[in-house]
Amino acid sequence: MNAQTALTLQFAPAVPIPDYLVGEIRSKLAYVDELILSAEVSPEQITLHLSHPGAEGGLSAERRSEIEEKVQRVVLSMAKGAIKPKIQILEDHLERPVPYQADPMAELIARDEISQEAQGVFSLGPLLSQLIDYFEGQFIALADSFGAQPYRFPILIPARYLERVNYFRAFPHSLSFVTHLREDLQAIDQFSQQAACDEHGLQAPPDSFAQIQHLLSPAVCYHLYFALADKPLPGGQVIATAVGTCFRYESSNLVSLERLWNFTMREVIFVGSKDFVLENREIARLRMAQVFERLGLAYRVESANDPFFIGEFRKQVAFQSAFQLKFEIRARLPFAGSTLAVGSYNYHQDFFGRNLNITLPDGSPTHTGCVAFGLERIAYAFLAQFGFDPSDWPTEVRDYLQEHKP
Ligand code: ATP
Ligand code: ZN
């Protein structure tokens, strides 16, 4: 028998799962136990596909009930007493006709356009890179229309920064940690002689590594807020833009180019009074609506929530929804009959201003907001809607790629 034998566990959720939480709960189940390979969730039933080492005797009854108990804890925490958030739709162009219907992944693989290094980690070829450059040009033009100041931020982020903005509590599941070898000759010698990779990963003496001080950054705008922390906001308002590599570990939810561990975001960031941030967020949305109209993208802008971890989920989602803090640009994926968030319009109220002590001229904490675009996702959604034949593309995109041919 195979060392990894598949096993199915099926049971009813402790409380019925409302339709609008089915996807959120399914994606959280990936983090519940290392044996869970995938999960199917419906309002009345949960099916877990488990792996277990060795086939002899299968999985113990004790282990099964432990997994079921952990899953029920997730269900109760997220679904019990949950109130359906009102979905507000600001733009609806989901039904715009688009020329392509197939799954772009097959074609991308056939053309050697993507090379998968690990789950959720891809190298991208010339077509995707040029499409990304095209879309980045659009986002940079948006930033320029506000006179946004350009920034470049590090990929590492100190653990104490993330602690200050409550990140460990809100999104612990998606963190990516960084370490290095301890400054110790013996530890380095031992590592250099013993380090070897097997099917589980890198094997090395456990005391080789230094205490974790840094993580891989999960967002772009945080770095600006940290740069502005603990002082008055210069001139009372700031508009900035930056592109950055972001890391969010999404376990078995990492599929195709839709959900990556390592992805790129371009953000336009507004810091100032409440009105300043909200007005500019709205102006940015209206300007981007013109871009998407010109391209004929099939999409919708609707209210959304961040993927908070289980304990924080219910409270935070209700909060985000009540105050209309997040709207997503959801592009249609015709082949899947679904949508994919390619960007978001965010308002954080004075959360960062309060936690990081960034003050307005009147001494009150500053408000912040950002407009964030996922570059791999917008290129992927474009190919899902327009395909690979440039004669089916919007002229503007076709011309750009033609002009920038290597
Ligand atoms: P924050 O408010 O925490 O700074 P944000 O609002 O700037 O985050 P999100 O809305 O979480 O960022 O993400 C912005 C965009 O980044 C998403 O709309 C999506 O296009 C892209 N993105 C997010 N997570 C992933 C991922 N795992 N893989 C690929 N793209 C992603
Ligand atoms: Zn942001």
Side-chain angles (χ1 to χ4, degrees), residues 302-324:
E302 63 182 33
S303 55
N305 58 264
D306 282 312
F308 297 101
F309 201 56
I310 297 151
E312 295 272 292
F313 184 84
R314 220 170 41 197
K315 189 180 79 197
Q316 296 278 21
V317 167
F319 187 78
Q320 274 192 323
S321 161
F323 292 97
Q324 302 189 353

Side-chain angles (χ1 to χ4, degrees), residues 129 132-133 135-137 139-140 143 148-156 217-224 240-247 262-269 371-376 378:
S129 300
I132 285 177
D133 285 347
F135 281 106
E136 249 235 291
F139 304 140
I140 291 170
Q149 296 294 313
Y151 279 78
R152 294 185 67 82
F153 298 125
I155 277 177
L156 299 184
S217 186
V220 173
C221 59
Y222 288 19
H223 294 274
L224 178 73
T241 186
V243 66
T245 305
C246 299
F247 300 83
N262 168 141
F263 62 98
T264 324
M265 244 197 279
R266 163 67 64 176
E267 292 201 33
V268 185
I269 308 156
V371 180
F373 303 99
L375 299 185
E376 293 83 359
I378 185 88

Side-chain angles (χ1 to χ4, degrees), residues 22-299:
V22 161
E24 299 267 17
I25 288 182
R26 189 191 42 233
S27 68
K28 291 298 183 301
L29 295 187
Y31 303 97
V32 164
D33 194 286
E34 283 174 327
L35 292 188
I36 298 178
L37 295 172
S38 64
E40 288 154 42
V41 176
S42 71
E44 305 293 340
Q45 183 163 288
I46 292 174
T47 308
L48 303 177
H49 300 286
L50 308 175
S51 74
H52 65 102
E56 277 142 57
L59 203 57
S60 70
E62 206 179 7
R63 194 72 176 84
R64 285 171 188 243
S65 63
E66 184 199 343
I67 294 173
E68 182 172 338
E69 184 272 325
K70 287 198 279 183
V71 168
Q72 298 293 24
R73 235 191 298 155
V74 175
V75 170
L76 287 170
S77 171
M78 290 174 70
K80 194 175 170 201
I83 299 164
K84 184 177 182 174
K86 263 200 207 84
I87 301 290
Q88 212 192 335
I89 298 172
L90 301 186
E91 296 168 44
D92 193 353
H93 306 290
L94 215 48
E95 300 312 322
R96 268 187 189 146
V98 289
Y100 201 67
Q101 301 294 325
D103 179 350
M105 279 307 270
E107 186 64 25
L108 286 169
I109 292 167
R111 290 171 174 240
D112 281 335
E113 260 295 320
I114 50 176
S115 154
Q116 183 166 7
E117 296 191 359
Q119 205 176 359
V121 183
F122 288 88
S123 291
L124 308 182
L127 172 63
L128 282 165
S129 300
Q130 283 185 301
L131 278 175
I132 285 177
D133 285 347
Y134 165 78
F135 281 106
E136 249 235 291
Q138 304 304 307
F139 304 140
I140 291 170
L142 174 76
D144 287 347
S145 74
F146 288 102
Q149 296 294 313
Y151 279 78
R152 294 185 67 82
F153 298 125
I155 277 177
L156 299 184
I157 193 159
R160 65 173 190 285
Y161 280 19
L162 290 178
E163 184 188 32
R164 269 186 94 177
V165 295
N166 208 28
Y167 206 88
F168 297 151
R169 200 160 294 170
F171 307 105
H173 54 300
S174 61
L175 295 168
S176 306
F177 301 91
V178 174
T179 182
H180 54 80
L181 293 181
R182 287 192 299 115
E183 288 90 342
D184 180 285
L185 187 59
Q186 200 173 339
I188 298 173
D189 270 346
Q190 266 187 11
F191 178 88
S192 72
Q193 281 152 33
Q194 295 176 26
C197 293
D198 64 16
E199 74 272 24
H200 303 294
L202 176 64
Q203 303 299 333
D207 65 349
S208 305
F209 302 106
Q211 176 82 37
I212 289 166
Q213 308 273 7
H214 291 81
L215 289 90
L216 294 172
S217 186
V220 173
C221 59
Y222 288 19
H223 294 274
L224 178 73
Y225 310 144
F226 287 114
L228 298 171
D230 299 315
K231 50 189 184 232
L233 186 65
Q237 58 190 51
V238 169
I239 302 181
T241 186
V243 66
T245 305
C246 299
F247 300 83
R248 295 181 191 172
Y249 178 69
E250 307 216 20
S251 181
S252 53
N253 304 313
L254 296 165
V255 287
S256 77
L257 290 187
E258 286 179 39
R259 204 163 282 288
L260 302 168
W261 186 355
N262 168 141
F263 62 98
T264 324
M265 244 197 279
R266 163 67 64 176
E267 292 201 33
V268 185
I269 308 156
F270 306 106
V271 187
S273 67
K274 175 181 178 177
D275 288 349
F276 174 80
V277 171
L278 282 175
E279 277 165 27
N280 282 311
R281 179 177 77 157
E282 182 63 2
I283 293 170
R285 181 178 74 76
L286 297 173
R287 289 184 185 160
M288 285 316 294
Q290 290 176 1
V291 175
F292 296 139
E293 161 111 53
R294 235 171 46 220
L295 294 177
L297 191 78
Y299 76 102

